[in-house]
Amino acid sequence: HASRAQPAAGLHTAKNKIGASQFNCLCSCPKIMRHRIGKQDIDLNPSSTDVFGAHNHSKQSVGTHQEERNLHNGVWIRIICILIFVTFSLLIVDRISEVPADSVLNPGNKLSEIEKDMFHAPAPSFVTIVMPSVVKPDARPLRLTNIAKTWGPSSNAIYVVHSTNEFPEAERNQVGKSSITGHYPQILLVPEDITVDMGVPRLEYVIRTISRDVDPDFAFFVNDHTFVLPNNLCKYLREQDSSKDLYSGHALKGKPDTAFNSGAAGYVLSRKTITDLIKEWDAENPLCSAAGSSKWLQGNPGLLTAKCFDEALHIQLHDTRDENQSHKFHAYGLVRTVTGKVDDWYINKHAELDFVLGVDSLSHHKLKKGAMCCSPSTISFHYVEAGESLVFWDVLKHSRESPSMSESELKDLMMKTWPRDREGLGGYAHGLPSPLSLDWIGLIQVVKKISDGVGSAMC
């Protein structure tokens, strides 16, 4: 009996050592562990191989018991791994649960401090404020949808809406409530007490909100009929200084009127100009106030701010044309701008610009037709309906991405895809000219030279 006790104790000790080795290894080295304790490599007590009887029977018995122990140890190791995984998962869930219910999931509330950390990013250098157009307002949801598919994201578009139904896709991405910095389009929801026909109070609310909650270097104001070339806008703004006054666009002036920039073509305000304008509102300067504004001004609030810029802040308009006197901001669509078939009132409001922008001895600020109508740095067109905006964007992209495309190929692409009916073009745009028209020469040249404008804006 004494001779049997010693190997049994040795077996017990060896097994304890094997168990400790497995415990220390945990999940990181199961294959090595199995290799080290496999039955072919174990020799519990080489000097006592005949204690239990025949040598082969002893090795087989020990190997069988060892395999059972390996199996049990493997199960426990897997259980420990599962417990570690569950523990870390619970910690993550607990962290997420700290985000309150009135968060980005609930667009009616502002971001919590935790969410601000999650979505923190620098303020944009510029935003494009998309005001409601007075033309065919029931078409607005489709216009906004197509802007989101084209120039909206790269132009940092913010849609001014009276209802989230106008663009429900951004219901959870609202300025001042649940906006996620860097993701556009966003929406800016106007309070219920400012109705759709209250253009002046709406513009004031929008400018104050953008200044407080976004604080960009520049804000480009357009409406949902405008078509923007983001890369050209970005390049233009890189040359400007947000710490100085800036009110730029396509200047117009009637004989008795204050000079102003076309709201259709869009106009840019710098941070300094926005800040100074808000100060005038706070001081209730009658030259800038919405009190007693006419119905005409309510529908054209940009004229009131232009009067404030001129008479209260003394901000000068400047000529935004390029060195060839070609415009960058256009108040009509591509076809009407190239062919020169624009309305008389628009033509006439260029006649007085020598007194505003300085004497232009070459053309006296008259609009040009054909390829010279438009600068290669063109920033905007107007009266571009939803259907036309998708095709226009696609044509410009094809031209940009395929510089070797011939003029005839580009013409064929436009004729095959460009809308022809009122539904696609809207009531103010013109369709493409007839196939043999000489107007195609200017159209193709303009498309080619402005196509870089649809590249990604690197601002």
Side-chain angles (χ1 to χ4, degrees), residues 272-290:
K272 182 179 186 302
T273 298
I274 290 174
T275 301
D276 291 346
L277 176 60
I278 292 173
K279 289 178 180 178
E280 296 300 320
W281 285 334
D282 291 340
E284 298 182 355
N285 188 329
L287 295 173
C288 308
S289 174

Side-chain angles (χ1 to χ4, degrees), residues 127-140:
V127 291
T128 302
I129 312 300
V130 185
M131 305 293 291
S133 172
V134 297
V135 177
K136 199 179 178 183
D138 58 330
R140 187 160 205 253

Side-chain angles (χ1 to χ4, degrees), residues 134-156:
V134 297
V135 177
K136 199 179 178 183
D138 58 330
R140 187 160 205 253
L142 182 57
R143 290 177 194 148
L144 297 182
T145 296
N146 286 359
I147 289 173
K149 294 177 181 178
T150 54
W151 58 264
S154 297
S155 298
N156 301 335

Side-chain angles (χ1 to χ4, degrees), residues 123-127 211 214-220 234 236-248 268-277 315 318:
S125 62
F126 76 96
V127 291
S211 176
V214 183
D215 191 31
D217 294 331
F218 303 96
F220 183 38
C234 176
Y236 175 76
L237 294 177
R238 279 194 201 137
E239 301 170 355
Q240 313 304 322
D241 185 347
S242 64
S243 67
K244 297 180 180 179
D245 282 317
L246 181 68
Y247 171 48
S248 65
V268 176
L269 301 181
S270 66
R271 178 187 286 113
K272 182 179 186 302
T273 298
I274 290 174
T275 301
D276 291 346
L277 176 60
I315 299 174
H318 61 277

Side-chain angles (χ1 to χ4, degrees), residues 358-377:
V359 176
D360 173 7
S361 58
L362 294 176
S363 64
H364 297 286
H365 298 281
K366 290 181 180 178
L367 294 167
K368 294 187 176 184
K369 298 188 293 185
M372 294 300 293
C373 71
C374 306
S375 169
S377 300

